[in-house]
Amino acid sequence: MRVLVLGGDGYLGWPTAMHFAARGHEVLAVDNYLRRRLAAETNSQPLLPTDDLPSRCDAVASLSGKSIACRDLDCTDGEALAGLFRDFAPDTVIHYAEQPSAPYSMMGYDQARLTLQNNIGTTLSVIWAVLRAAPHCHIVKLGTMGEYGTPNIDIEEGWIEIEHKGRKERFLYPRQGGSLYHTSKICDTDLLAFYTRLNGIAVTDLMQGPVYGISSDEADRDARLRPHFHYDDIFGTVINRFVVQAAAGVPLTVYGSGSQVRGYLDLRDTLQCVELATLNPPTKKFEPRILNQFTELFSVRDLAERVKQVGDGLGLEVGIRSVPNPRKEREEHFYQPAHDGLATLGLKPHVLSDDRLAEMIEFVLRHRDAVDVGKILPRVSWA
Ligand SMILES: NC(=O)c1ccc[n+]([C@@H]2O[C@H](COP(=O)([O-])OP(=O)(O)OC[C@H]3O[C@@H](n4cnc5c(N)ncnc54)[C@H](O)[C@@H]3O)[C@@H](O)[C@H]2O)c1
């Protein structure tokens, strides 16, 4: 297949590009390095520096003989993106090209505007590139489980049937974003649902939970192929942050009571899920397929205890501290999200085992000198 990866320089986009290239697909990775720019502006650089896309594509070619093409392009530029779709004629576009940080989106007006304009802008451009230049291309879009919030009822996969005054209708499941970033993803889902309803384009919207890890079959081959690994409060996801805190001897920063439950997944399972979605396009026309993409539920407190236990076993003395929650969110809440769709397509989850956590902590211990402890405590408050 011809697979276009938008956001191909990113934490998930780069391993995705390598994953598809390794399986014989023709891959074009596109990025405008927004993430690198925002990380530098907010002093949130990753644990280790990563080469730019052309250098990493060269490294893949020299190590494996597989080729990944790359382009520096702003995906909010609808004309340029449509031109690229015309030239490359993708069978599938995997759309990661967004500002992915909730704290960043809550820093102030400029960051809120950038998040909204960029995220809705890239999604609108992708939809129109498909409409204008590649009508049979399947859009695989990364949404987030955070779109649903934490309602006091079961969370379904994208849709819910509601009976009201004796009549029934099927709606997109209600969304309640906890940050402006999450709200931008809700707008994406609405745009995708709208244009699918009108035009019958093929769309899979993946509601993904927080991802952890740095390993994939391809990334493990050589240090130059690793994705960027953020452990700061703005761009780091919680398991990655705790692992670095444990290795650096900093008490794990549990926000508030730590009772917040979310669905998590290993980076390798993101790759599996995206591949399963790509190889099995949706069968219903005029409705986006929405799949909830996570493998295990944990509370933040559970995760801290797990990391502490494994870290202590490695001879570290891992502390846990509760810090005032910088977010406005329910800490005690019901959480029961469905996640059958990807399992039905064949997902075989990698679970968060003690060995897996130990591998991650040992990886950071080898680079402990690179940890900047000034990036650990929350710097952005929702208040
Ligand atoms: N990482 C997670 O835990 C997680 C969880 C749920 C959802 N997601 C979603 O998955 C996607 C990828 O997340 P990630 O963690 O890899 O983030 P990332 O920031 O590492 O990757 C996104 C990439 O897109 C690029 N990009 C952004 N705007 C662009 C534009 N206008 N033009 C071209 N490139 C652009 C960035 O430079 C970056 O390299 C995002 O949409 C995010 O919302 C991520």
Side-chain angles (χ1 to χ4, degrees):
M1 293 175 92
R2 299 169 70 79
V3 181
L4 181 58
V5 180
L6 305 180
D9 185 53
Y11 174 50
L12 306 180
W14 172 242
T16 301
M18 289 195 290
H19 183 85
F20 278 89
R23 281 149 190 81
H25 301 285
E26 196 168 333
V27 179
L28 171 59
V30 174
D31 210 290
N32 68 345
Y33 303 109
L34 176 73
R35 165 65 166 258
R36 291 175 186 252
R37 177 163 73 77
L38 301 185
E41 283 173 12
T42 55
N43 189 30
S44 306
Q45 295 83 354
L47 181 66
L48 301 168
T50 45
D51 290 339
D52 63 13
L53 261 183
S55 309
R56 292 201 272 175
C57 292
D58 287 347
V60 169
S62 69
L63 287 162
S64 70
K66 303 284 179 191
S67 98
I68 300 174
C70 63
R71 279 280 295 278
D72 180 346
L73 185 135
D74 180 350
C75 297
T76 62
D77 181 340
E79 288 303 327
L81 197 68
L84 188 126
F85 271 65
R86 225 168 264 125
D87 294 342
F88 185 66
D91 299 299
T92 301
V93 54
I94 302 172
H95 173 22
Y96 291 116
E98 303 216 339
Q99 187 300 98
S101 161
Y104 179 84
S105 74
M106 301 299 288
M107 287 176 80
Y109 172 71
D110 290 342
Q111 295 82 359
R113 190 184 54 181
L114 183 147
T115 302
L116 206 58
Q117 289 183 342
N118 187 68
N119 294 0
I120 300 176
T122 58
T123 299
L124 187 72
S125 295
V126 169
I127 294 168
W128 272 93
V130 165
L131 291 174
R132 293 197 279 186
H136 301 296
C137 174
H138 173 199
I139 301 175
V140 176
K141 160 74 177 37
L142 271 288
T144 156
M145 283 298 293
E147 291 181 41
Y148 298 122
T150 52
N152 198 30
I153 56 172
D154 283 29
I155 295 174
E156 306 301 334
E157 291 206 81
W159 301 88
I160 188 167
E161 190 169 276
I162 292 181
E163 188 169 343
H164 182 64
K165 298 186 177 172
R167 303 178 75 83
K168 282 187 188 165
E169 175 65 89
R170 192 158 170 274
F171 293 98
L172 279 175
Y173 190 93
R175 262 79 173 158
Q176 310 181 68
S179 73
L180 188 78
Y181 155 70
H182 293 107
T183 304
S184 75
K185 307 295 270 190
I186 296 172
C187 297
D188 288 343
T189 295
D190 272 331
L191 282 174
L192 291 164
F194 171 71
Y195 281 105
T196 308
R197 194 164 70 233
L198 244 66
N199 298 287
I201 51 176
V203 171
T204 301
D205 199 357
L206 297 167
M207 300 296 126
Q208 180 172 247
V211 182
Y212 60 86
I214 194 164
S215 259
S216 77
D217 290 348
E218 293 74 34
D220 292 347
R221 292 186 67 166
D222 189 277
R224 284 171 293 168
L225 304 188
R226 275 193 212 111
H228 53 233
F229 185 77
H230 285 265
Y231 61 95
D232 61 277
D233 61 313
I234 295 178
F235 289 103
T237 50
V238 61
I239 299 179
N240 293 352
R241 282 193 273 123
F242 281 175
V243 160
V244 172
Q245 292 167 11
V250 175
L252 312 186
T253 52
V254 169
Y255 293 175
S257 71
S259 311
Q260 307 90 320
V261 178
R262 300 289 185 269
Y264 294 85
L265 74 162
D266 188 305
L267 171 59
R268 293 170 296 180
D269 290 340
T270 295
L271 305 181
Q272 262 196 83
C273 291
V274 168
E275 185 182 8
L276 286 167
T278 299
L279 298 182
N280 302 280
T283 47
K284 268 192 194 167
K285 250 194 148 187
F286 302 108
E287 183 179 294
R289 172 176 62 178
I290 302 178
L291 302 169
N292 293 346
Q293 182 167 314
F294 65 91
T295 57
E296 296 177 279
L297 293 177
F298 297 107
S299 75
V300 174
R301 170 76 45 190
D302 292 340
L303 289 173
E305 299 289 354
R306 289 283 308 281
V307 172
K308 174 177 169 46
Q309 189 196 324
V310 174
D312 288 349
L314 293 172
L316 304 167
E317 280 179 25
V318 180
I320 298 179
R321 67 178 148 176
S322 170
V323 298
N325 192 343
R327 304 179 177 220
K328 283 200 174 157
E329 63 184 1
R330 286 183 186 150
E331 293 184 3
E332 312 295 328
H333 61 88
F334 176 77
Y335 201 61
Q336 201 155 282
H339 60 131
D340 305 322
L342 284 157
T344 307
L345 290 180
L347 173 64
K348 305 272 180 292
H350 293 83
V351 294
L352 184 65
S353 63
D354 288 356
D355 286 348
R356 179 91 187 102
L357 278 173
E359 270 168 32
M360 288 176 66
I361 296 174
E362 281 166 347
F363 167 77
V364 181
L365 284 172
R366 290 197 291 280
H367 303 285
R368 194 179 183 159
D369 292 348
V371 178
D372 172 358
V373 293
K375 292 176 179 159
I376 285 175
L377 281 176
R379 291 170 288 176
V380 183
S381 161
W382 269 224

